[in-house]
Amino acid sequence: MGYVYEDITAEQRAQIGMIAAMGRGAYGMVTKLAQELGTSRKFVYGLADKVRRAVVEAVQPMEPGPKAVSLSLEVDRRLLDRAIVTLAIEGRMAQRPIAECLGELYRVRPSLGYINGVLAEASRVAEQFNRERVFDLSLVQAQADELFACGQPHLVVVEHSSMLILALERPERCDEDAWRNTFEGMMQRGVGLARLASDGGKALGAAIAKLAGVEHQLDRWHGHRHIGRVLMRLEQAAYAAMGREEGLAKKLQRGMDRAHLMGGYVHDRYQEARKETRAAIDRYEAMQLLQLWVREALEAIDPKTGRLRSRAECEAELKAATELMRELGVAQVKKLADYLDKAALGLLAYVDRLAPPMALLSQELGEGRVRLLCREWLLGRRLAKAKGDEKTVRQEEAYLRARLLALLECGQQYPEAQEKVAATLEGVMKGSSLVECVNSWLRPYADLMKGLGDRFLPLFVLYRNAHVFERGKRAGKSPFQLAGVETPEGDWLDWLGLGSDKPPLQLHTVRSLPKAA
């Protein structure tokens, strides 16, 4: 609806209102203005009142400081779909919580069917995107493992240096054929395997054995875990023997005479229990020492000198330790010794790979410097894994002495030399611990969704390969970038077709809550 007096513009109305407001109380002014304009006196009084109210409102006292940022958010379909995929993958949320969150944030509550459709379409695009990525990777060191979620196997293969997920599949069965198909699919996409690490699974090991020219590296951590389990059982057996001895000792304290039949029987059992307790403790202490020897035998670097030992030396030390294990006469320890002898080839496969680059470093930096830096690196790794006890204090002192010797020997070249040695030692794959990280990433989704469906896996692979590491030696780069894989512009959501033609909103950080009215 227009104005009553349409011939009077907004600027003229403001002027009339200001004149009437400033001349308030002057006799006959409003009547004269109304006559000249051809309007009513009520119209003039109304303009004056509006001007006065606008001025009063403008000069009201305000809160100190800058004005609060006021943003208006326009929610279109792409923005909504982008939020759904982000909450599902990065937020690890199920469909119902996604709908609730979007209702609170955007005042838009999508149906569960709509959310399901968005995720299905995003998964389809992600699967196509992953399939089109061709990896120009040769002589790759990769780690493989199988994850069982809700009784279903999932085969995972990760590149060692970049943590790029090369394969993540859910076959019907986890057997040799399934692993062979996975490796063949990787090779068709440009992955040239040189070494594969695993935890020693039979199906996976059989598939790796049939790959020509691919070296199988067994995971050292799993070997150490086997040793730890046997050591724990020996400890439990020692405590059980001590408990039996203590129980018989309490019976003897009741005054049972050895001359009596029952008293003699208890005395004899007590003596046998004492011998068994002593033997169980001796077995445990011997195994404690032997497990330290085994750990040192599986380490290529001599902890005393920093010298890189040959594979033959490591195997000889491991063989000597396993022979001593068999002398303990315990079935579990003998079984462990048989496993270590059989797995020695795979557990020490990395030693031969480490020798050539370390020889080049010795020529460049000097053999003495490399030994000191290797010893410092090894003691630093052990210190990081140690627990807070007296042993840690001794390890810290040893590490600081090794670091001081390396600093004195290398001088100003220490930072560069240390970085080169550490990169060489860590660049040779020794186990499959990194692929275990992928399992830990997948586990929350499996628990949330009661399984990992085919629709989820492509989205997860794309998200993790495009995800930028926040800390560690890979900080600031994604697996795609570290592996040199070409990707389009934008982020992973843009690659799914969830980008927007509109410029992105500027993010504002809220550092404090506004004062209550």
Side-chain angles (χ1 to χ4, degrees), residues 220 296 299 301-307 370-387 391-406 414 418 421-422 425-426:
R220 292 194 303 171
E296 290 189 2
E299 179 58 59
I301 299 174
D302 187 343
K304 296 181 180 179
T305 64
R307 180 179 64 88
V370 171
R371 286 189 179 185
L372 291 175
L373 291 169
C374 286
R375 184 169 182 267
E376 178 199 350
W377 175 86
L378 178 61
L379 295 179
R381 297 266 295 188
R382 290 183 176 181
L383 179 63
K385 297 178 180 179
K387 299 180 181 179
K391 185 178 180 180
T392 303
V393 175
R394 295 195 299 270
Q395 288 182 342
E396 186 174 6
E397 292 176 352
Y399 167 70
L400 291 176
R401 286 195 296 268
R403 181 179 176 85
L404 179 60
L405 290 174
Y414 171 79
Q418 183 197 38
V421 170
L425 292 173
E426 295 171 3

Side-chain angles (χ1 to χ4, degrees), residues 14-67:
Q15 293 175 357
I16 295 168
M18 285 188 289
I19 293 172
M22 289 190 308
R24 184 179 183 183
Y27 179 77
M29 184 186 66
V30 173
T31 302
K32 186 177 179 180
L33 284 173
Q35 289 175 353
E36 291 179 356
L37 296 171
T39 64
S40 65
R41 296 171 69 247
K42 181 180 179 181
F43 174 74
V44 178
Y45 278 121
L47 293 177
D49 185 57
K50 290 179 180 179
V51 169
R52 280 194 298 269
R53 281 190 281 116
V55 172
V56 171
E57 183 179 352
V59 297
Q60 285 290 334
M62 302 177 65
E63 292 289 337
K67 293 183 179 180

